[in-house]
Amino acid sequence: YSLLQNYPNPFNPTTQISFALPLTAKVNLSVFNMLGQKVEELANHTFEAGVHSVQFNAASYSSGIYFYKLTTGNFLQIKKMMLLK
């Protein structure tokens, strides 16, 4: 399992978040603000093994630091990204 750094970072208003899975798994990919509140759920379904990419459009959000969290059955990782408008 691997959660990659979003690209570009910093971004305005869209960025790509990529992750790799060694086997088919149910994946939840969510974005949180600095207060820990979930602002968007980007994915919540089963993905095949391999590398996947999801786009995050933050046009309706204010500048700042956000966190994205990848969760599967036995893996969890969080990374930070910056939105600059």
Side-chain angles (χ1 to χ4, degrees), residues 11-80:
F11 67 99
N12 178 27
T14 62
T15 187
Q16 292 285 100
I17 299 172
S18 298
F19 57 93
L21 303 173
L23 46 93
T24 300
K26 181 167 170 56
V27 170
N28 181 282
L29 181 62
S30 297
V31 178
F32 298 83
N33 63 18
M34 288 290 289
L35 300 175
Q37 300 164 323
K38 186 188 290 188
V39 295
E40 194 156 330
E41 187 171 80
L42 302 177
N44 189 20
H45 55 89
T46 301
F47 286 86
E48 298 292 324
V51 178
H52 305 276
S53 185
V54 177
Q55 185 175 48
F56 174 49
N57 186 339
S60 62
Y61 300 112
S62 59
S63 294
I65 294 175
Y66 292 85
F67 299 91
Y68 56 103
K69 178 172 82 169
L70 177 76
T71 308
T72 67
N74 56 355
F75 177 82
L76 183 149
Q77 190 170 4
I78 300 171
K79 291 203 180 252
K80 180 170 61 171

